[in-house]
Amino acid sequence: MADQVKAYTLKSDTIAQVCDDIQEYFDRHHAQKRDAIRVRFLIEETLLNYRDKFGEDINFEYHMSNRLYKASVQLIVYSDRFNPFATDEEGVMSSLMLASSQQNPSWQYVKSDFEWLFTAMGRNEIVFSVPRESKTSNPVKILIGLACGALFSVVLRLILGAETSSLFANDFILPLANAYSGILCVMGILLTFFALPLCIVQYRNVSEFHNATKNTLKAYIKLIAFVAIVVGIFGLIFTGLDKSSTVDASVIKSIFDVFISFVPTSLITPFINFDCMQVMVIGLLFGLGFLAMGDRNKVMVEIFDRLNLTAVLVNSFFAKFVAIYVALMVCSIGLTSTLAQWAKYIGLIVSVVVGCIIFVLLSAITVCVKYKIPLKLMFEKFSESFLINLSSASVGASFINIFNELAVGCGVEGGYTGVAINLGTVIYKPMYSLFLAASAITAANLSGVLSMKVLIEIVILSMVLPATIPNIQGGAASVILLMLSQLGLGNEYAEIFISINALLQYIIVPANVFCMQCVVIHRAGKEDKLDVSVLQKGKQAN
């Protein structure tokens, strides 16, 4: 049932009032704060697009409804047919904003029943939805699953004995876990295929937008290129340490053959075999085809967008059970592994966690030095955001919850911090790409399968997968499972990396918030919207 129905005209004051009401509605129904703020900006820009197109006298209304897992807002604008998300109109909504928010609002035009007789205008219907905030964050659920799986495996092994417990795990636990991982791999393959052509089309569209959007895209591309170089060097060091995978002239010569192996020989087989590399090539070809179609690609782009949204919803549903998957896999490992294997797993966990923490801290310090932020302030703000993040019910929600407060504490005007919405994706995605690549290289090296071909696959997958699979609950699990499946590594690594990812969220998120602060401080300083005295005094001025 709709909570409210109100009618307005497209004037600046009414648009502002509507957006405030919607923000209050999202807060009242416990919508995830980061997504709620993003959607609020999307709604405001949508209404402004209609005003610029048809003027201030057009009527619109909005309906707010509270579903089981989402808070939704439906805008109804009574005007001629106009898609506010179209990319060939002046002043349209940023495609990069839509991509980063992963909200994919729906739009349809409904004709008036008497349009043919009275030339009455129809109505444009746009629906925005925001997931409700979970009382327990996904990382906490995963860590609980990890603990439960370990405890359950110890108890079962003591009761059943080593041999019987191993049979029990192979007959009952592993089939369930493997079926679940297969479902997430299927969803990950589909998301990658549908998202890549959309990203390519959006890349062309972004070039038509204002300089801030283009600069954001350029910053993202630079960071991704930097990550690719770092991952490549890190992988070459590992291959160089492995005598069976030394890099010589013959290996370098075979790189061309490696890329040739990524070319699909069929449009169906890569999807059946979960060959992510070939699926990405197919998606790339579709994207180039969409570009070649020009304005005629609208129907195909809309179809892919709807299929992508469907895959996101299905993935989100199954990803809710990722903690159960972790518990099953940990229990299975505990029932079938020897002490030597457990020692290898523990060493893997320690190496990946320590490596990622070092990288995150170096990243924060690098940004601090680049933007001339005092190191003392960096440690003050980093520790403050870290402590707030630990106490937050949702890691994702803490992004926006704490960012405004911390940025204002650095002397940045409150209204200016909205520039950081896109920066969240720009900075966080490369950080996660490095974690994913470091984990995969370490696992491949320990398994003895690390080679030049595998290294190239890791570099490409770690760059592309985090960008194509959205920031949804369990999205990281889909990325990890898909990469390990492509590399031919067993599921025993999956729950380890998923658990490590849950741990590192409490480090990566505050580091990302701090990096966002530094960028916003730098931009605010250029536009005289920074109180330097507050910045220099740090915590004493708060």
Side-chain angles (χ1 to χ4, degrees):
M1 295 294 293
D3 288 346
Q4 298 183 36
V5 177
K6 297 183 179 181
Y8 292 98
T9 55
L10 289 169
K11 296 182 179 179
S12 299
D13 55 343
T14 56
I15 291 176
Q17 180 183 345
V18 165
C19 291
D20 290 342
D21 290 344
I22 290 173
Q23 183 67 55
E24 182 183 350
Y25 166 76
F26 283 149
D27 293 340
R28 190 169 67 250
H29 287 84
H30 308 290
Q32 292 194 17
K33 295 187 182 299
R34 178 183 59 174
D35 293 334
I37 292 177
R38 284 174 167 168
V39 169
R40 181 260 168 93
F41 285 136
L42 294 178
I43 292 174
E44 182 176 13
E45 192 163 356
T46 298
L47 294 173
L48 291 174
N49 288 338
Y50 277 103
R51 186 193 67 179
D52 294 340
K53 180 71 175 179
F54 300 109
E56 294 184 344
D57 295 330
I58 295 296
N59 291 324
F60 78 95
E61 62 186 42
Y62 67 100
H63 304 247
M64 302 190 293
S65 59
N66 184 27
R67 300 178 183 177
L68 184 60
Y69 297 110
K70 292 183 177 181
S72 299
V73 174
Q74 180 189 40
L75 292 181
I76 299 179
V77 182
Y78 295 95
S79 67
D80 293 330
R81 181 187 181 94
F82 175 63
N83 182 356
F85 313 123
T87 56
D88 55 351
E89 298 288 344
E90 188 70 23
V92 296
M93 185 178 299
S94 167
S95 293
L96 188 61
M97 175 72 81
L98 288 173
S100 64
S101 67
Q102 294 296 338
Q103 297 306 310
N104 293 308
S106 64
W107 167 83
Q108 65 174 344
Y109 180 73
V110 181
K111 293 183 177 180
S112 170
D113 294 336
F114 303 100
E115 189 170 10
W116 62 274
L117 182 60
F118 298 107
T119 64
M121 291 183 293
R123 61 183 188 271
N124 296 272
E125 298 181 354
I126 311 103
V127 178
F128 302 83
S129 298
V130 181
R132 297 181 66 181
E133 186 173 348
S134 175
K135 294 182 179 179
T136 305
S137 65
N138 203 43
V140 172
K141 293 178 182 177
I142 292 173
L143 295 179
I144 292 174
L146 177 67
C148 291
L151 178 62
F152 195 55
S153 66
V154 172
V155 173
L156 273 183
R157 194 153 189 163
L158 290 175
I159 296 175
L160 301 177
E163 184 175 351
T164 306
S165 63
S166 179
L167 293 173
F168 177 80
N170 291 327
D171 291 341
F172 296 100
I173 297 179
L174 269 179
L176 289 174
N178 290 335
Y180 177 81
S181 64
I183 291 173
L184 285 191
C185 281
V186 170
M187 290 299 103
I189 284 285
L190 294 177
L191 283 169
T192 302
F193 173 64
F194 294 137
L196 264 179
L198 295 176
C199 289
I200 292 173
V201 174
Q202 287 169 350
Y203 175 79
R204 185 198 68 175
N205 297 335
V206 164
S207 64
E208 303 172 4
F209 292 127
H210 49 79
N211 290 331
T213 304
K214 289 193 290 186
N215 291 336
T216 301
L217 178 62
K218 289 178 182 177
Y220 181 75
I221 294 176
K222 288 179 181 178
L223 280 174
I224 285 292
F226 171 75
V227 169
I229 294 172
V230 172
V231 170
I233 294 174
F234 180 62
L236 288 174
I237 292 175
F238 262 90
T239 56
L241 294 175
D242 186 354
K243 295 181 180 179
S244 64
S245 303
T246 53
V247 180
D248 53 24
S250 62
V251 174
I252 300 298
K253 187 178 180 181
S254 67
I255 291 179
F256 179 76
D257 296 330
V258 171
F259 281 100
I260 290 297
S261 68
F262 298 155
V263 178
T265 57
S266 167
L267 291 177
I268 304 299
T269 305
F271 293 91
I272 298 175
N273 296 334
F274 293 162
D275 193 330
C276 192
M277 297 300 300
Q278 294 190 5
V279 169
M280 287 195 299
V281 173
I282 296 174
L284 177 64
L285 294 176
F286 268 82
L288 295 177
F290 289 166
L291 290 182
M293 292 172 64
D295 294 337
R296 294 174 295 176
N297 67 9
K298 292 181 180 179
V299 175
M300 290 300 300
V301 169
E302 185 174 350
I303 291 174
F304 267 63
D305 187 59
R306 290 183 178 276
L307 291 174
N308 182 61
L309 175 59
T310 302
V312 168
L313 294 175
V314 175
N315 184 283
S316 300
F317 173 77
F318 283 105
K320 294 180 184 298
F321 307 103
V322 66
I324 298 176
Y325 166 77
V326 169
L328 289 173
M329 287 302 302
V330 170
C331 181
S332 176
I333 291 175
L335 296 177
T336 58
S337 299
T338 63
L339 291 177
Q341 289 173 317
W342 269 110
K344 182 181 74 171
Y345 296 143
I346 293 173
L348 177 64
I349 293 173
V350 172
S351 62
V352 174
V353 170
V354 171
C356 289
I357 289 177
I358 291 174
F359 165 74
V360 169
L361 291 176
L362 287 176
S363 299
I365 294 174
T366 301
V367 174
C368 184
V369 172
K370 178 180 179 181
Y371 294 106
K372 299 179 181 180
I373 309 300
L375 288 177
K376 179 182 178 182
L377 177 65
M378 187 275 284
F379 284 110
E380 286 178 355
K381 291 302 176 184
F382 184 86
S383 60
E384 184 179 354
S385 60
F386 175 72
L387 293 175
I388 295 175
N389 189 53
L390 284 179
S391 61
S392 174
S394 170
V395 175
S398 66
F399 254 49
I400 299 300
N401 275 352
I402 67 178
F403 178 74
N404 281 342
E405 178 184 348
L406 296 179
V408 172
C410 292
V412 180
E413 291 184 8
Y416 191 75
T417 56
V419 73
I421 289 181
N422 279 341
L423 294 176
T425 297
V426 170
I427 297 175
Y428 177 80
K429 292 285 189 178
M431 282 187 179
Y432 186 72
S433 295
L434 271 166
F435 156 71
L436 188 65
S439 302
I441 291 174
T442 305
N445 185 62
L446 289 175
S447 301
V449 300
L450 187 60
S451 63
M452 183 58 66
K453 180 179 184 296
V454 171
L455 177 59
I456 293 173
E457 289 181 340
I458 291 175
V459 172
I460 297 175
L461 290 172
S462 61
M463 300 304 104
V464 177
L465 287 181
T468 56
I469 297 184
N471 294 327
I472 56 177
Q473 183 178 1
S478 297
V479 172
I480 293 170
L481 287 168
L482 198 56
M483 172 170 273
L484 294 179
S485 175
Q486 173 70 32
L487 301 178
L489 298 174
N491 278 349
E492 65 269 17
Y493 292 106
E495 82 289 343
I496 292 175
F497 293 151
I498 292 172
S499 302
I500 293 174
N501 175 74
L503 286 168
L504 288 177
Q505 288 298 312
Y506 296 102
I507 298 293
I508 294 177
V509 170
N512 187 29
V513 170
F514 173 76
C515 291
M516 291 161 62
Q517 283 179 272
C518 291
V519 176
V520 171
I521 288 171
H522 178 69
R523 292 187 180 181
K526 282 188 173 182
E527 299 184 15
D528 295 327
K529 295 183 178 180
L530 176 69
D531 188 338
V532 180
S533 63
V534 175
L535 175 63
Q536 292 175 342
K537 293 179 182 178
K539 191 175 279 189
Q540 296 177 359
N542 294 341

